[in-house]
Every structure is written in structure tokens, then in C-alpha cells.
Amino acid sequence: MAMTAAALDLCRALVRCQSVTPEDGGALGILEAALKHAGFATQRIRFSEPGTPDIDNLYARIGTGAPFLVFAGHTDVVPAGDAAKWRFDPFAGEVAEGAVWGRGTADMKGGVAAFAAAARAYVAQHRSGKGSIGFLITGDEEGPAINGTRKLLRWAYEKGERFDHCIVGEPTSWHVLGDTLKIGRRGSLNGTLLVEGRQGHAAYPERADNPIPKLMALLDALNAAPLDKGTPRFEPSNLEIVSVDVGNPAFNVIPAQARARFNVRFNDRWTPETLAAEFCGRLDSAGMKFTLSLEPCNAPAFLTTPDSFTKLVTDAVERKTGRRPALSTSGGTSDARFIRAYCPVVEFGGIGATAHMVDEHVAIADIEALTEIYAAILEDYL
Ligand SMILES: [Zn+2]
């Protein structure tokens, strides 16, 4: 079967698996069979942790030499929501109007299918070339991401696996296929600010101590100036107050406590530690007592400095689409934040416009072109 037709078939087969995190629905088995059939050594690894569901993961490799290019992705999907709101059954992999429809077509069964089909085609012709091709596929990206890529990477490392480069197949394209390649991600940090007062009657404020005006002053101080103006490869960092909580149902009571929660998306000018110091400095300047708690950060900002590998990927995209992708660090966090500790990583895939939405779909032409791009990358790399 032609490589691009195989990608479409595999994508549809994966969509028919109801792999809503933490269910696998048979998705990893289908992918594993396809890779095994092509000569990959495959392993299924199940990770557990108290309080979270057990999750299946798949590791596959062909070849023993370097360079070792590994593809990373996930087969789990977010829930479909009300299936009646969809034009087609979200788990049927329907083909209509030049597109495949269904949950996960864009994020990211289409990307997984494209890379697997490209790798199979490459292997059929050249085995693993002079190097190795690998797959790190998890069923826990859309969920808590505890029993997924992070543990799979550690497991592979302890087995002696050493990757030279990684491509994450998340749908990075914005308007058209090939317009965006991600070479980094901003970090994310969550914080809670608590102010204590003294509860009392609203008619006798002199006997109480209202924490709300203090919280407002503290939030003003926290938000007084932008964190930075951006860095050469990153947008400015942003602090967003996402909730102010008092939980007071009464009009005649001054509450005892007020708290606010905030999220910071930060660039490579900051680490969680330097941000913590900055926040404390700003809050101290308001001259009142507060408690600041920052959640442990597992998502620092990172950048894969453009080099010959990013050029190889960029050139392949341009050759197939006529478009030179922008090197971007925008958007949320992804599993690439874990991978970057092991090898340089870039993210490139289809158009994410309908990811997580009703009527998620991906153009067949885009799955085909993406498969050809991945095939070109394999040719050039190995
Ligand atoms: Zn995804």
C-alpha cells in the first residue's frame, strides 16, 4: 500500500479506538502491530502510581546505531462531549469532504499515523539506514501525565537508550500545514496568595480586619509592571490572576480570609526560583502580611537552540509545502518539556485548529503531506 494511504488507514483505525484518557481502547495495540510488522522491536510498559490510573505506554525501536531519531506522541484523547453535537460519530473515523472526522484526528492520532507510515515506508526500503528510529508513545498526555512520557523516558534511559534527536508530532501548524515549528515552550507556574484578616460585623469594621482591600493592594503590587519585554525567541512572560476567592455568602460579615490564585507563563529569562524571588519582592513592597504558596513547577521554559537539526526539519517542511515554518515557542506546555532533558527536541505536526473541539477533523491532503514531510526528514536524517 502506498505510504500516504497507509497513514490514512492507520489514522482511521486509531480514531475507532475509544482511547479517552486513561482508556487505551486498543490504540497502542494497533500501532504496535503496525511497527512490529515492519521489523521494529516493540515493548509495552505499564506505569502505576497511587491515586492515578495505570497507563499503558509503547516503546519501539529499529536499528542499533546512531544517529537515533525518536518520534514522541500520544494516542489518548480528550472526551468527545455530547456525541449528538458532532456531525459524525466521534469514534467512527468517518471520511467526508476530503477530511477524516473524529476525536483525536488532529490531536494527535493523525500525526502518530503519519509518522508510523513514514517510518514503515523508510524501513521497507533501507531498514534503519545507518542509525535508529524509535517511538515513545504514551496513553497519558491529555490526563495527569504522571504515568506517561516522563516515566517512559526514564525507563528507556535506564535501559541504556540514548536518543540523538526527538520530534514530537503535536499539531503545531496554525493556519496551514507547515507554517509553524516549535523549538521551545514557555514555562508554567501556579501560585496562591493568602491574606488573613479578622472576621467581624460589617457594621463594626473597627472591630474586624477586612482582608479583601489588602488582597487587592497585594494583587496590584504583584501586577504592577510587566515581568519582562520578551526575549529573542520568546513572547513576554505573563501573569494572569485566575481567581479571587473569599467564599462569603453574607452581606453583614467581614470575612476572615481572602485568597487569589494566579498562573504565570514565563519565558527563558526566568526560572521558578527567580520568579518566586520577584513575586516576594513585589508583594513585600505593599507593606502587609501575606502567605504566598507556589506549586511545584514541572514545566520550566526551554529552548532548543536552532542548529543543523532544526534546519534539516525546516528544509524538509519547506521542500514539501513550499513554506518555511516560523520557529515558535508559543502556546501551552507539552511533553517536550520532559524530553528536552534527554535530547534536543522540536515539535512539528498538522493543523491543531479543531483539537479538543466538536467536529475535530483533519484534511486528508494534510495527513498525506505530513507523512511525506516525516518521510523526507527520515531520509535526510539517516
Ligand atoms: Zn496532543
Side-chain angles (χ1 to χ4, degrees):
M1 199 191 308
M3 174 177 76
T4 51
L8 179 61
D9 263 19
L10 184 55
C11 173
R12 298 183 67 194
L14 291 173
V15 171
R16 289 188 202 110
C17 302
Q18 302 213 8
S19 54
V20 177
T21 333
E23 297 305 324
D24 170 59
L28 286 178
I30 286 177
L31 185 61
E32 181 176 23
L35 294 173
K36 201 178 242 173
H37 187 253
F40 280 80
T42 65
Q43 269 179 281
R44 291 283 283 277
I45 314 99
R46 173 169 280 244
F47 294 119
S48 344
E49 185 137 331
T52 63
D54 290 0
I55 299 282
D56 252 356
N57 297 270
L58 171 67
Y59 181 67
R61 177 176 182 164
I62 191 164
T64 51
F68 187 177
L69 179 63
V70 67
F71 176 85
H74 61 92
T75 49
D76 62 325
V77 296
V78 296
D82 182 359
K85 293 217 161 69
W86 288 64
R87 290 180 58 191
F88 305 99
D89 176 348
F91 296 103
E94 206 78 53
V95 165
E97 298 165 17
V100 199
W101 301 74
R103 177 55 82 227
T105 46
D107 186 8
M108 57 170 281
K109 289 173 170 177
V112 169
F115 200 93
R120 285 186 52 143
Y122 181 87
V123 165
Q125 247 192 310
H126 322 277
R127 293 291 296 171
S128 57
K130 60 179 169 22
S132 304
I133 307 169
F135 283 81
L136 289 162
I137 308 292
T138 182
D140 187 20
E141 199 269 349
E142 303 287 12
I146 287 170
N147 294 313
T149 301
R150 186 164 29 169
K151 287 188 179 175
L152 191 57
L153 284 159
R154 173 127 292 270
W155 171 89
Y157 186 84
E158 281 166 3
K159 254 172 49 97
E161 300 293 84
R162 296 293 181 270
F163 313 122
D164 291 297
H165 292 95
C166 179
I167 296 176
V168 177
E170 287 287 346
T172 56
S173 297
W174 191 248
H175 294 295
V176 285
L177 181 71
D179 59 5
T180 310
L181 176 79
K182 294 215 181 197
I183 55 165
R185 294 272 185 163
R186 290 180 300 176
S188 177
L189 180 64
N190 296 322
T192 303
L193 180 61
L194 171 72
V195 184
E196 303 273 4
R198 192 169 63 253
Q199 188 179 315
H201 199 303
Y204 304 101
E206 63 278 12
R207 289 183 169 157
D209 178 14
N210 193 340
I212 297 175
K214 293 183 184 175
L215 181 65
M216 288 163 67
L218 285 162
L219 288 175
D220 260 352
L222 191 61
N223 234 348
L227 285 165
D228 56 64
K229 294 195 174 78
T231 65
R233 292 273 174 198
F234 284 86
E235 299 169 35
S237 303
N238 180 56
L239 184 153
E240 206 63 37
I241 298 163
V242 294
S243 186
V244 175
D245 308 290
V246 181
N248 178 13
F251 279 105
N252 56 356
V253 175
I254 291 170
Q257 278 192 341
R259 74 185 74 220
R261 296 187 294 124
F262 60 92
N263 172 253
V264 186
R265 299 295 165 132
F266 59 95
N267 60 35
D268 56 348
R269 150 124 177 42
W270 301 96
T271 64
E273 293 72 31
T274 59
L275 278 173
E278 174 72 19
F279 297 154
C280 285
R282 289 182 177 207
L283 292 166
D284 282 336
S285 74
M288 40 192 89
K289 274 181 79 174
F290 64 89
T291 309
L292 174 67
S293 344
L294 297 173
E295 288 177 23
C297 175
N298 67 6
F302 76 92
L303 177 71
T304 300
T305 309
D307 63 358
S308 57
F309 177 66
T310 49
K311 182 173 184 312
L312 182 152
V313 174
T314 309
D315 287 350
V317 174
E318 186 174 23
R319 213 157 64 232
K320 292 291 167 187
T321 65
R323 225 163 268 123
R324 196 143 187 96
L327 303 181
S328 160
T329 57
S330 67
T333 62
S334 80
D335 274 355
R337 71 184 189 267
F338 304 127
I339 299 166
R340 49 91 62 161
Y342 296 84
C343 68
V345 54
V346 300
E347 300 173 74
F348 180 74
I351 300 174
T354 60
H356 297 209
M357 288 185 187
V358 165
D359 290 335
E360 180 174 353
H361 64 280
V362 56
I364 291 170
D366 281 354
I367 293 196
E368 293 176 348
L370 184 60
T371 308
E372 284 171 359
I373 292 168
Y374 287 147
I377 292 171
L378 287 168
E379 290 281 350
D380 295 350
Y381 188 82
L382 297 165

